[in-house]
Amino acid sequence: MCEGITFDEIMKNVDSLLQRKCQSVRSTNHSLIINIAPVKDSLTTSSCAEDEWDVPYVVHLWPSVLLRNLLPYQITYSVEGNGNKYDTLQEGCSAQIHNAVLDQTKLDLQLLNYLDQNWRSEYHIKSNLPDISFTTFHCVTELDKTELDIGVHVTYTTGQMIIEIHSPYWMVNKTGRMLQYKADGIHRKHPPDYKQPLLFSFQPKNFRQNNKVQLRVTDSELSDQFSLDTVGSHGSVKCKSHKKEYQVGVTINNSSFNITRIVTFTPFFMISNRSKYTLEVAEEGKEKWIPIVLQQCIPFWPENDANKLLVRVENSDLPPKKINFDQQENCLLLHLDNKLGGIAVDVNLTEHSTVITFSNYHDGAAPFLLINHTKEEIIEYGQSSLSELEDCLQPNKAVLYTWADPTGSRKLKWRCGNRTEEISPKEVCFFYQNLLLMLSNFIIVFTCMSSKHIKVTLCLPELVPDKMEILSVDSRKAVYLMSFYEGLQRIVLITEDENVFKLTYESVKAELAEQEIVLSLQDVGISLVNNYTKQEVSYIGITSSDVVWETKPKKKSRWRPMSVKQIDKLEQEFRDYSELSPSENKIVELESNVCLTPNGMNMKIQQPNEIPIRRNYLPALKVEYSSSAHQKSFRIQIYRIQIQNQIPGAIFPFVFYPIKPPKSITLDSAPKPFTDVSIVMRTAGHSQISHIKYFKVLIQEMDLRLDLGFLYAVVEFFTQTDVPSDQELELFKKDVESLQEELMSVSSMDTSQISLYEYFHISPIKAIKQMYILILGLDVLGNPFGFIRGLSEGVEAFFYEPYQGAIQGPEEFIEGMALGFKALVGGAVGGLAGAASRITGAMAKGVAAITMDEDYQQKRREAMNKQPTGLREGITRGGKGLVSFYREMQEDRKEGAQEEGAAGFFKGVGKGLVGAVARPTGGIIDMASSTFQGIKKVADSSEDVISLRPPRFFGEDGVIRPYRLRDGTGSQMLQVKKMKDKFLTNI
């Protein structure tokens, strides 16, 4: 039994460590150390009485040391003085060491069966160690003494010391070749048959430097240096030898416990056989054939730059097929013979690998399906790169066609009568084309889906769509040719039957929806709350538009918003009309007569045509889904999205928001949502290919502003703080299992779903520029990109705005000239002032840090966050900071004496003297920064962004409750009042 602990000790040592020692009654050499960490019960403390004895506490009992094995090998450990008794610690497991004493206990560690040897090390448990240090393991063999540096990650918590034995890098060799890793003073060999990871580390003295390694494959030279710390990256390394050039794929991932990098080396070229045949492959120009059995993946090391591979079926007399493996291939069908059929080839190119996969034939694998639906016409066909056509298709027959020479031209040539044409299976489909082919004795109406622009000259009026020219056919007959996709297969149909043509034509057209689902939300708000810190991090608001007037020109058409100019005029007339409490309709004379009604129903435009109108709004979020027999369509519209930084004293309170374009641009256009995404997908038959007929994304210009405080808060919000120990072990086991994956599994991970796009469009928005603003616009050296962008856009607007105004009329031209000139001044002068403001602001931030006064730094951040309205306020703000330093020095001495006595007094004096120099310097710089901000504010032509709502209010208990605007507004008012009181007191 250990010495007792009193409740008085618990109250005096909250959030600190108490330690008790229990001596064994059997042996004086054995003891049990218990760490005791008392904390207040946070959920119930606020509701307790003021009497300290009624405050509840939670008392945590911990072992003194927790030892964790983060190596993929077993280790054993023994505490010095424990009679050489070793305990085994499995991979990923932890052990509590109850008799360890800091700065006294020594551990004897053994690493078992690493490189078929056992390794030994001594580790002293000490206080004040760096977070990562190293211990050296020794392996004594008959030849020499080998050393191995193993990392030790130490974490000191209130309750215990956690020691994690790990290796900075796990090197995984899946190449089947001998690998060697070389760095400064480090040389490690990795045998090809060693399936476990090699434990690698740079020298401890160089650990925190930018270390790089070189690779050698078998007998090659050393490669160029490359880093092992770029987590999540993929790439390749080349090692030259006198015979060939070895290319190795490198993948770097993070382990589940974050302190080890898993570096996997694979052959850059891999061949996978998923077909039912045993195949043989050989590089073009080489006589050595390599067999590949079913479900096998082998490394492939090409020796020349031809990038061509020969393929044949084992024990087959067929000549080998030749393919290119340096270009992407999706389902290239190799024709064998009638007995064997065919095999499909996929070549998947990535940054770190090229995987050549052979698989069985499946429906839709052939690039063409030719159908001759005529009574007596013969169609000849063949690959265009061949000198002669390969075969002919008889009437009422169909044939699946693939390329005779996979490395040749990818166009199909066909001949019917005297007409010869070529069709490519890879043409991106955009719209329907209609072509009339004049042959010697008949006419072909050719309807294909392709990107080629084909002029229509002659056509039969009763057989094709409207707006086509008319031809007197006389005695000639018509033959119709349809060409369309099903998956990746192009179907070419030639028919004389008019009904077949019409049905086929209708099937590939846009279909009417059989089911429609529409979700419309007026306003959406998402609040990100960190319940550990009791703080609202961010508020994401998706809001609807202001009032929008809409028209419906036709009965079946949708309601469409009018132009902004028309909306503003109608809304003003309607408000004036409604304020009079009308009882009768009113005719408003605008560009056309508009009839307004008292209840807002059945309103319409009377001239020149009667068109219904209504007063409405565009929803914040609108999702539309429709489906038919062969098509599905999705549409998502977000009118306006705004992300707010709700952290007090934020540098940028508005993180993300759309930028309003100038009025001269928007006046004659309808209100547009911030984001509009529209997708139309087609499903047909057996194909699993995603056939996307239409994909369009429109995004308006936006502004993105980030500060480090917000980024840290978001990272903390999404980071899981406490992971259960059993979950940690499961994640570790998954790390180890991933190391044992064969090449077949690795190659299958590189495959991706194939999608076919007919129409693909992403608006060329200015959001792409925002990435440069994020990178070059950091508040460190004055945002040089901001000045360049502001100047260029100012000059652009100076010419663009008047041009827009000239199109709309003389009044708009004058307005455009004013807006353009203001944009020029705001871009050039404001850009220069903004750059200077950020440079001086960065300097002042550094000077403020020198004062070592967190309260001063916080008040400075809050003051600088409020943008000055002009030059006068900027100068005034800097002057206040200049004259308040003396009072701050007095406060430093007073606070130091109150908190720490005499020592605190002198500490406060020193702090005040530093502030005596730093604060006026910072005040001068802040004055310059505020002045430049005032200039930029005057020159800036953008409108201020309005907050959607105040931050969430938290009660004393910290419980998250439904948001109340009253509580949020009151809490913000109190915070503002406190800041003003502090500011006035300091002055």
Side-chain angles (χ1 to χ4, degrees), residues 372-380 393-397 415-417 441-442 477 479 494-496:
N372 186 355
H373 192 250
T374 63
K375 296 180 180 179
E376 54 185 29
E377 302 302 331
I378 297 176
I379 300 174
E380 298 177 90
L393 183 61
Q394 299 296 325
N396 290 317
K397 298 290 183 181
R415 181 185 300 143
C416 186
N441 58 348
F442 58 89
K477 62 181 179 179
V479 175
I494 299 176
T495 180
E496 298 172 335

Side-chain angles (χ1 to χ4, degrees), residues 394-409:
Q394 299 296 325
N396 290 317
K397 298 290 183 181
V399 64
L400 290 169
Y401 177 79
T402 189
W403 311 112
D405 179 14
T407 61
S409 171

Side-chain angles (χ1 to χ4, degrees), residues 735-783:
D735 288 339
V736 177
E737 290 173 0
S738 66
L739 307 179
Q740 308 301 326
E741 291 179 347
E742 299 295 334
L743 279 182
M744 178 63 76
S745 301
V746 175
S747 64
S748 64
M749 293 170 60
D750 292 329
T751 59
S752 57
Q753 178 68 31
I754 300 172
S755 299
L756 176 65
Y757 290 86
E758 294 185 20
Y759 183 88
F760 185 90
H761 175 79
I762 297 180
S763 60
I765 55 172
K766 295 183 180 180
I768 299 173
K769 297 181 182 179
Q770 307 300 318
M771 293 303 297
Y772 296 97
I773 296 174
L774 181 61
I775 297 171
L776 295 177
L778 299 178
D779 283 350
V780 178
L781 293 178
N783 191 359

